[in-house]
Amino acid sequence: MIVWINGAFGSGKTTTAGELVELIPNSTLYDPELTGAQLHRLLPAKQLDEVDDYQDLPIWRRLVVDTAAAMLAQLGGVLVVPMTLLRQEYRDEIFGGLAARRIPVRQVLLRPDETILRTRIEARGELLEARAAGNGAKSNGATPHAGRRNDSRRDADRNGADRDATGVRGPGAGPVRRQWSYDRIEPYRSALEWISDDAFVIDNGALDPRQTAHRIAEAVRTGEAPVCTIVQTPEPVAETLAAGVLLFDEADRVLLVDPTYKPGWEFPGGVVEPGEAPARAGMREVTEELGLALDRVPRLLVVDWEPPKPPGYGGLRLLFDGGTIGTAEAERVTLPADELRCWRFVGEREAARLLPPPRYERLRWALRARERGVVLNLEGGVPVG
């Protein structure tokens, strides 16, 4: 099990997590900021320069899932993870990846009053500045030890001249990190509604870290802090066959859904079960995901071979034409809340913005096949034959 402590920067996540591992038996602390710090040493500077936060790197999000799963496999028990997640698609991707490994996550949101939050950020910034000044005075008067490695990169990191674990760049860790934290108060405020939907919320403004940790431990013990309902099927261990169904409104816009467990929008559909006809699998998925029953077997539009891209295995992706659904039928759409966040009809231009590139290419050629009344064979989204 994972206890994920979310909240704004300065809300007390890390100090509370340190106290919590003393209260929950067989628990271990994992701070994903350490993963971000290591990426600074592993990735080319050009890639790091393209982002303001390590969370924007897909490799960071996957490594967080893989590291957490590996630690639990090695140690067992409970993993306590203090990490701010303010982008819903990142939360969904990480929690969905953990769900695919059958790892339950209980999310706790630390929510002190904003005035208290700003006071804490200011105090932490002053503390970092004081420490930096003290380290500078010591280094100016110190005599290097014989045989000590001259690691200028380490010194640059320590003094804040490069990125710290949050992905911040700047000449001074104290003022830069303080402003970086202030700048994220508004995104935090905007994210509160969806974070609160499946998190156990604690106003820790009047609590110290030990008291907050006791409150979390009790909520975990009693089940008051619920398991997040984001679900995902287990990751494939071989190539898969998947069927998607395109549904259209009377303006010929296509219906897309927004999964809770992975980034990017998607078509209604899913993996074809063993012994199941692909078109029937698409019909089943439409019923399960939208609550609609198709009255005819959909027509095949494209067969797209998706090449393996580690850690994925690829496989065949089929898209079918499910036809047009009217306004009354669209009003009956019912989504499984633990799998799909929302749905909407979109034109091709908007679909290009919402879909990951491989899915958009598949859709683009499916629309052309529909216009021409043909079936297209694709390899990696490109027509062949």
Side-chain angles (χ1 to χ4, degrees):
M1 180 181 69
I2 289 177
V3 177
W4 192 289
I5 306 178
N6 203 348
F9 297 94
S11 60
K13 303 180 301 297
T14 303
T15 50
T16 296
E19 297 286 351
L20 187 59
V21 295
E22 300 296 327
L23 300 175
I24 297 179
N26 195 22
S27 62
T28 307
L29 177 65
Y30 165 50
D31 189 346
E33 281 199 354
L34 299 176
T35 302
Q38 289 305 309
L39 286 178
H40 166 61
R41 300 177 181 275
L42 297 172
L43 295 181
K46 181 180 179 181
Q47 288 197 15
L48 294 170
D49 288 339
E50 294 173 353
V51 300
D52 293 323
D53 191 313
Y54 284 128
Q55 294 192 13
D56 297 329
L57 295 168
I59 188 175
W60 178 84
R61 301 192 295 274
R62 179 150 195 102
L63 281 174
V64 168
V65 174
D66 290 344
T67 303
M71 288 184 69
L72 283 173
Q74 176 72 25
L75 303 170
V78 176
L79 206 61
V80 177
V81 182
M83 191 69 215
T84 299
L85 290 176
L86 299 183
R87 293 188 59 168
Q88 192 169 16
E89 64 270 29
Y90 292 174
R91 188 280 310 263
D92 294 347
E93 180 181 352
I94 292 170
F95 284 18
L98 294 168
R101 292 161 170 79
R102 300 291 189 261
I103 300 173
V105 179
R106 297 180 188 270
Q107 183 181 199
V108 176
L109 172 63
L110 301 187
R111 189 178 178 178
D113 181 80
E114 188 172 319
T115 302
I116 295 175
L117 186 62
R118 289 180 177 274
T119 300
R120 290 179 178 177
I121 292 173
E122 182 65 27
R124 186 172 64 174
E126 292 175 354
L127 179 61
L128 287 172
E129 289 179 37
R131 286 178 178 172
N135 289 339
K138 291 178 182 178
S139 63
N140 289 337
T143 301
H145 291 280
R148 175 175 292 174
R149 181 171 60 94
N150 182 16
D151 192 341
S152 59
R153 187 174 197 176
R154 175 202 63 203
D155 295 338
D157 288 345
R158 180 180 295 161
N159 292 324
D162 217 307
R163 292 179 187 264
D164 68 6
T166 62
V168 177
R169 297 182 68 93
V176 172
R177 181 152 184 157
R178 180 196 297 133
Q179 188 58 51
W180 193 87
S181 299
Y182 281 144
D183 290 343
R184 277 149 182 80
I185 289 179
E186 179 54 39
Y188 160 73
R189 192 186 299 126
S190 300
L192 276 175
E193 182 177 354
W194 64 260
I195 295 176
S196 301
D197 282 345
D198 63 0
F200 178 70
V201 182
I202 297 177
D203 179 354
N204 64 324
L207 304 176
D208 63 26
R210 185 72 175 179
Q211 292 170 325
T212 305
H214 272 285
R215 184 72 185 92
I216 295 173
E218 179 66 13
V220 170
R221 186 186 65 81
T222 62
E224 192 178 0
V227 173
C228 292
T229 56
I230 294 175
V231 299
Q232 188 179 39
T233 54
E235 292 191 352
V237 295
E239 290 185 345
T240 55
L241 173 62
V245 179
L246 302 184
L247 299 169
F248 301 86
D249 67 0
E250 293 160 350
D252 247 10
R253 297 179 301 171
V254 66
L255 188 151
L256 298 181
V257 293
D258 185 12
T260 63
Y261 52 84
K262 64 180 177 180
W265 289 59
E266 182 61 281
F267 326 107
V271 174
V272 179
E273 300 293 341
E276 186 177 31
R280 300 287 179 177
M283 297 173 71
R284 170 181 57 76
E285 290 286 349
V286 167
T287 301
E288 292 177 359
E289 295 184 355
L290 303 177
L292 302 179
L294 298 183
D295 57 7
R296 63 177 180 83
V297 177
R299 184 176 72 86
L300 182 63
L301 295 174
V302 298
V303 178
D304 186 12
W305 176 74
E306 184 177 283
K309 184 178 180 182
Y313 289 86
L316 286 180
R317 310 291 179 249
L318 312 182
L319 278 184
F320 295 88
D321 182 0
T324 301
I325 60 175
T327 302
E329 196 170 10
E331 290 176 351
R332 295 199 300 271
V333 169
T334 304
L335 303 180
D338 56 352
E339 294 186 33
L340 300 176
R341 187 181 300 113
C342 59
W343 67 276
R344 68 173 184 253
F345 288 110
V346 300
E348 191 170 346
R349 180 176 297 179
E350 187 177 5
R353 180 177 62 84
L354 295 176
L355 292 170
R359 284 179 224 157
Y360 170 67
E361 286 301 309
R362 194 174 303 141
L363 170 66
R364 186 167 73 89
W365 288 111
L367 295 178
R368 303 294 85 79
R370 185 172 185 255
E371 293 167 356
R372 302 170 193 169
V374 298
V375 177
L376 292 177
N377 181 34
L378 311 179
E379 292 182 0
V382 179
V384 293

mmCIF file of all heavy atoms in Angstrom, residues 7 172 266 288 291 296 329:
data_model
loop_
_atom_site.group_PDB
_atom_site.id
_atom_site.type_symbol
_atom_site.label_atom_id
_atom_site.label_comp_id
_atom_site.label_asym_id
_atom_site.label_seq_id
_atom_site.Cartn_x
_atom_site.Cartn_y
_atom_site.Cartn_z
ATOM 1 N N GLY A 7 -0.322 18.088 -1.566
ATOM 2 C CA GLY A 7 -0.528 19.414 -0.988
ATOM 3 C C GLY A 7 0.379 20.422 -1.647
ATOM 4 O O GLY A 7 1.275 20.073 -2.415
ATOM 5 N N GLY A 172 20.182 31.365 -6.812
ATOM 6 C CA GLY A 172 20.117 31.170 -5.368
ATOM 7 C C GLY A 172 18.921 30.331 -5.010
ATOM 8 O O GLY A 172 17.794 30.666 -5.333
ATOM 9 N N GLU A 266 -8.970 9.464 -25.705
ATOM 10 C CA GLU A 266 -8.984 8.141 -26.322
ATOM 11 C C GLU A 266 -10.340 7.934 -26.978
ATOM 12 O O GLU A 266 -11.289 8.673 -26.758
ATOM 13 C CB GLU A 266 -8.706 7.097 -25.227
ATOM 14 C CG GLU A 266 -8.629 5.666 -25.658
ATOM 15 C CD GLU A 266 -7.528 5.380 -26.650
ATOM 16 O OE1 GLU A 266 -7.782 5.695 -27.851
ATOM 17 O OE2 GLU A 266 -6.482 4.836 -26.272
ATOM 18 N N GLU A 288 -19.895 -0.789 -21.824
ATOM 19 C CA GLU A 288 -19.271 -0.658 -20.513
ATOM 20 C C GLU A 288 -18.842 0.774 -20.226
ATOM 21 O O GLU A 288 -18.942 1.241 -19.095
ATOM 22 C CB GLU A 288 -18.064 -1.590 -20.417
ATOM 23 C CG GLU A 288 -18.426 -3.069 -20.409
ATOM 24 C CD GLU A 288 -17.189 -3.961 -20.398
ATOM 25 O OE1 GLU A 288 -16.055 -3.417 -20.425
ATOM 26 O OE2 GLU A 288 -17.347 -5.199 -20.360
ATOM 27 N N GLY A 291 -22.442 3.248 -21.576
ATOM 28 C CA GLY A 291 -23.810 2.872 -21.230
ATOM 29 C C GLY A 291 -24.731 2.804 -22.431
ATOM 30 O O GLY A 291 -25.958 2.820 -22.283
ATOM 31 N N ARG A 296 -26.121 -2.561 -34.205
ATOM 32 C CA ARG A 296 -25.555 -3.312 -35.332
ATOM 33 C C ARG A 296 -24.052 -3.467 -35.131
ATOM 34 O O ARG A 296 -23.427 -2.701 -34.398
ATOM 35 C CB ARG A 296 -25.826 -2.601 -36.655
ATOM 36 C CG ARG A 296 -25.173 -1.225 -36.754
ATOM 37 C CD ARG A 296 -25.412 -0.594 -38.118
ATOM 38 N NE ARG A 296 -24.792 0.717 -38.216
ATOM 39 C CZ ARG A 296 -23.522 0.934 -38.521
ATOM 40 N NH1 ARG A 296 -22.725 -0.122 -38.735
ATOM 41 N NH2 ARG A 296 -23.030 2.148 -38.607
ATOM 42 N N GLU A 329 -29.920 10.086 -27.575
ATOM 43 C CA GLU A 329 -29.060 8.968 -27.181
ATOM 44 C C GLU A 329 -27.813 9.486 -26.466
ATOM 45 O O GLU A 329 -27.340 8.892 -25.494
ATOM 46 C CB GLU A 329 -28.660 8.158 -28.416
ATOM 47 C CG GLU A 329 -28.101 6.786 -28.081
ATOM 48 C CD GLU A 329 -27.938 5.915 -29.310
ATOM 49 O OE1 GLU A 329 -28.072 6.429 -30.438
ATOM 50 O OE2 GLU A 329 -27.653 4.715 -29.132
#
